[in-house]
């Protein structure tokens, strides 16, 4: 099977993540999309992250009605911080019958050269790029493919700030995720 890996903090997962995942799934030859919840991104500050099990549970709730999507906690069992190449290598060894690829926003493509062993990623894996506001992709490589997708500017930071300020996040989050956040008093 062809598996697309959508790495992220998902702090929280929101409608933008789901739209991008579904669009890339629909416009490529992917059989499944795995949402890889990253406990700690080496390029991001950790202070605003809620517990990884809460973030994983929100992903599970958000995708429960789509049998092409799967939540993955693979990085919970790996050394931290998480490096994409290490996760790709591990998954490729565990599931040799699958072909793995990754999703990247055009904003993250600029930082790819800062990633650990990024050359190996480009050599062995397909990279699907989706557009981000005010970002042009001038990075070309045979493994990099742009996918036409809606240009979304929904940020988890905006959502967290809205929750903390008592503002509505209706339509920004799947209903089940919003209910989970309310029940667990997350981001307050």
């Amino acid at each position: 099977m062809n598996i697309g890996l959508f790495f992220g903090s998902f702090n929280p997962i929101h409608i933008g993540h789901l739209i991008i995942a579904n669009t890339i799934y629909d416009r490529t030859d992917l059989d499944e999309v795995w949402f890889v919840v990253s406990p700690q991104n080496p390029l991001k500050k950790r202070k605003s992250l809620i517990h990884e099990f809460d973030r994983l549970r929100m992903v599970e709730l958000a995708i429960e009605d789509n049998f092409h999507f799967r939540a993955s906690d693979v990085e919970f069992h790996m050394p931290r911080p998480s490096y994409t190449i290490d996760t790709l290598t591990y998954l490729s060894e565990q599931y040799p019958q699958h072909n793995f690829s990754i999703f990247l926003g055009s904003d993250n493509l600029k930082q790819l050269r800062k990633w650990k062993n990024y050359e190996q990623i480009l050599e062995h894996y397909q990279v699907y790029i989706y557009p981000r506001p005010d970002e042009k992709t001038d990075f070309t490589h045979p493994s990099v493919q742009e996918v036409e997708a809606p240009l979304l500017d929904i940020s988890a930071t905006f959502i967290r700030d809205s929750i903390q300020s008592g503002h509505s996040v209706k339509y920004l989050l799947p209903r089940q995720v919003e209910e989970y956040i309310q029940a667990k008093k997350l981001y307050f």
Side-chain angles (χ1 to χ4, degrees):
M1 289 199 321
N2 294 320
I3 310 294
L5 302 176
F6 195 175
F7 290 86
S9 300
F10 302 114
N11 189 34
I13 188 167
H14 54 70
I15 206 77
H17 294 126
L18 299 171
I19 291 169
I20 293 298
N22 193 63
T23 300
I24 294 176
Y25 167 78
D26 182 61
R27 293 173 184 241
T28 63
D29 65 350
L30 295 177
D31 299 301
E32 288 185 355
V33 173
W34 294 2
F35 290 76
V36 180
V37 180
S38 301
Q40 182 184 352
N41 179 325
L43 299 176
K44 285 187 178 178
K45 290 190 168 74
R46 190 178 161 83
K47 68 175 184 161
S48 65
L49 281 179
I50 62 167
H51 197 278
E52 61 225 36
F53 289 112
D54 285 317
R55 292 183 284 121
L56 178 67
R57 182 64 187 136
M58 288 188 286
V59 170
E60 292 168 343
L61 290 168
I63 65 172
E64 67 187 1
D65 65 344
N66 190 327
F67 65 91
H68 297 292
F69 290 175
R70 183 170 144 187
S72 173
D73 66 354
V74 65
E75 290 191 342
F76 293 14
H77 314 288
M78 298 177 69
R80 297 180 191 189
S82 312
Y83 293 98
T84 302
I85 188 59
D86 296 337
T87 306
L88 285 165
T89 301
Y90 175 80
L91 287 172
S92 295
E93 290 170 357
Q94 293 297 308
Y95 303 97
Q97 73 277 22
H98 295 331
N99 297 313
F100 291 98
S101 59
I102 64 171
F103 299 0
L104 273 186
S106 56
D107 53 336
N108 286 322
L109 187 60
K110 284 183 171 180
Q111 297 196 16
L112 185 62
R113 288 186 174 92
K114 295 180 183 177
W115 290 20
K116 177 183 175 185
N117 300 338
Y118 79 92
E119 302 95 342
Q120 288 182 346
I121 295 172
L122 292 173
E123 184 178 335
H124 299 290
Y125 302 95
Q126 178 73 45
V127 179
Y128 293 113
I129 305 300
Y130 59 90
R132 298 288 291 147
D134 302 320
E135 294 290 339
K136 297 284 185 205
T137 54
D138 55 2
F139 188 102
T140 57
H141 189 278
S143 296
V144 175
Q145 177 186 337
E146 287 186 64
V147 177
E148 184 180 351
L151 189 61
L152 300 168
D153 195 12
I154 302 171
S155 87
T157 302
F158 176 82
I159 293 168
R160 290 191 305 271
D161 291 346
S162 295
I163 292 169
Q164 287 175 346
S165 302
H167 295 291
S168 173
V169 291
K170 188 173 184 154
Y171 307 119
L172 294 170
L173 300 171
R175 182 187 47 76
Q176 307 92 307
V177 172
E178 185 177 1
E179 289 170 358
Y180 184 85
I181 289 170
Q182 293 291 335
K184 299 267 306 202
K185 306 260 186 263
L186 303 175
Y187 308 114
F188 289 94

